[in-house]
């Protein structure tokens, strides 16, 4: 089960500077909410990022769903992230051979590497994809960049289970400088014979919603409380927040539920 250490205690012992920064933000703002800002215009994306920024630790984007992506999108995201002190996570789900993902990450029209603190990748193609992203991260000079391995998915019938999920953890262990943790529904890595004593992966959990069980296209939800009880560290919520009648009220509700569950855990 999950460690009862606080975010600041974990920050102290953590080797990855981006994880230390993330934990410091969570502690300072008292939030473990990641807003999945799946809006489709730059104006809507930046507006929701600005109004909900004070209540979130990370803003998760799908930059390729914007109909009007431009230099202004990037500059706007960097500005708002700085203003409200949150990290940017591009939910790119890289899934190709190493040579291709390096180009998709470092270059291309979206220039993800330039602005996204965090990206994620699947290990479907094998370890080479993580090796390739790790190279980019390690060559990054001053920039602090992190990778999350998409070890499970929340959609009905997902094949990212069992051996696949276990392999995600094994590969993560080989790239401690760049791989900061997982996108998964629960804690994956504690109490394993292969885990080093200092190992501390960060668990980001999607499919979090307070009032819905799922959608018509296979999405399956759990609540902030069950996610935190299962060992999640950061709760990713999209429609439950941005599509609510009053998104500020909604994000505060997720923030409160997530933070209270976290406090119960560290008080054990
Ligand atoms: P919502 O809370 O509105 O269902 O959005 C969930 C977000 O998390 C979407 O951006 C989706 O792409 C992402 N996601 C997911 O739902 N399940 C996964 O397993 C992995 C994801 O990245």
């Amino acid at each position: 089960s999950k460690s009862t250490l606080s975010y600041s205690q974990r920050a102290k012992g953590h080797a990855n500077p981006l994880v230390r920064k993330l934990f410091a933000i969570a502690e300072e703002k008292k939030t473990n909410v990641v807003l999945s800002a799946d809006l489709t215009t730059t104006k809507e994306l930046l507006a929701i990022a600005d109004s909900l920024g004070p209540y979130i630790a990370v803003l998760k984007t799908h930059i390729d769903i914007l109909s009007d992506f431009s230099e202004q999108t990037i500059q706007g995201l960097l500005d708002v992230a700085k203003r409200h002190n949150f990290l940017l996570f591009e939910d790119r789900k890289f899934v190709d051979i190493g040579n291709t993902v390096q180009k998709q990450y470092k270059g291309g029209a979206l220039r993800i590497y330039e602005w996204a603190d965090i990206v994620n990748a699947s290990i479907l193609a094998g370890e080479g994809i993580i090796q390739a992203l790790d190279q980019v991260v390690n060559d990054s000079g001053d920039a602090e960049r992190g990778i999350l391995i998409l070890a499970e998915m929340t959609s009905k019938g997902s094949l990212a289970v069992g051996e696949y999920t276990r392999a995600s953890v094994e590969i993560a262990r080989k790239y401690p400088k760049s791989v900061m943790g997982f996108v998964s529904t629960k804690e994956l890595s504690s109490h394993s014979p292969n885990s080093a004593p200092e190992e501390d992966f960060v668990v980001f959990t999607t499919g979090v919603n307070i009032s819905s069980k799922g959608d018509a296209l296979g999405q399956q939800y759990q609540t902030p409380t069950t996610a935190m009880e299962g060992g999640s560290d950061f709760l990713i919520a999209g429609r439950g927040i941005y599509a609510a009648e009053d998104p500020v009220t909604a994000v505060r509700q997720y923030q409160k539920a997530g933070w209270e569950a976290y406090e119960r855990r560290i008080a054990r």
Side-chain angles (χ1 to χ4, degrees), residues 36 38 60 62 91 93 150 152-154 183 206-208 219 221 236-239 242:
S36 181
D38 299 329
K60 185 177 82 59
H62 278 299
D91 190 359
K93 301 185 177 72
L150 183 63
E152 290 183 320
M153 289 201 70
T154 58
V183 177
T206 51
V208 174
Q219 175 67 301
Y221 289 125
I236 304 177
R239 286 165 287 180
Y242 71 77

Side-chain angles (χ1 to χ4, degrees), residues 45-265:
L45 172 64
L46 296 181
I48 201 93
D50 195 30
S51 60
L52 305 187
Y55 313 102
I56 64 173
V58 180
L59 185 85
K60 185 177 82 59
T61 52
H62 278 299
I63 207 69
D64 61 350
I65 67 176
L66 290 171
S67 56
D68 61 352
F69 174 83
S70 77
E71 181 59 35
Q72 282 172 328
T73 316
I74 298 180
Q75 207 43 58
L77 282 171
L78 289 170
D79 288 346
V80 72
K82 191 165 182 196
R83 185 156 65 247
H84 294 299
N85 192 26
F86 56 74
L87 299 184
L88 296 170
F89 166 16
E90 165 55 20
D91 190 359
R92 175 62 180 74
K93 301 185 177 72
F94 291 111
V95 63
D96 212 315
I97 62 165
N99 187 253
T100 299
V101 299
Q102 283 190 338
K103 293 176 184 169
Q104 290 170 324
Y105 183 28
K106 265 224 104 155
L110 305 173
R111 292 155 43 200
I112 294 167
Y113 166 83
E114 278 181 33
W115 56 269
D117 301 288
I118 302 169
V119 294
N120 55 357
S122 301
I123 59 143
L124 185 70
E127 189 177 331
I129 184 171
I130 303 301
Q131 200 187 345
L133 294 170
D134 176 76
Q135 263 180 22
V136 176
V137 171
N138 288 331
D139 289 348
S140 66
D142 290 347
E144 289 169 358
R145 296 287 178 259
I147 300 161
L148 295 170
I149 295 185
L150 183 63
E152 290 183 320
M153 289 201 70
T154 58
S155 35
K156 229 168 259 171
S158 164
L159 304 177
V161 296
E163 200 44 55
Y164 182 93
T165 304
R166 278 190 289 280
S168 299
V169 178
E170 290 308 319
I171 291 175
R173 292 195 167 119
K174 298 192 192 170
Y175 300 90
K177 277 194 177 156
S178 56
V179 177
M180 56 195 282
F182 306 102
V183 177
S184 61
T185 65
K186 57 185 182 299
E187 166 72 20
L188 301 177
S189 59
S190 60
H191 298 309
S192 151
N194 297 337
S195 58
E198 69 279 6
E199 176 177 293
D200 183 11
F201 289 119
V202 187
V203 175
F204 283 68
T205 300
T206 51
V208 174
N209 196 303
I210 287 178
S211 58
S212 166
K213 290 262 174 264
D215 70 12
L217 296 173
Q219 175 67 301
Q220 306 174 110
Y221 289 125
Q222 60 177 325
T223 66
T225 309
T226 62
M228 291 302 292
E229 285 171 359
S232 176
D233 297 309
F234 289 91
L235 306 170
I236 304 177
R239 286 165 287 180
I241 295 175
Y242 71 77
E245 206 165 305
D246 178 356
V248 171
T249 303
V251 75
R252 295 178 70 166
Q253 198 186 357
Y254 282 72
Q255 179 188 10
K256 183 167 187 287
W259 198 259
E260 286 177 356
Y262 159 74
E263 286 190 319
R264 282 195 296 277
R265 179 162 89 204

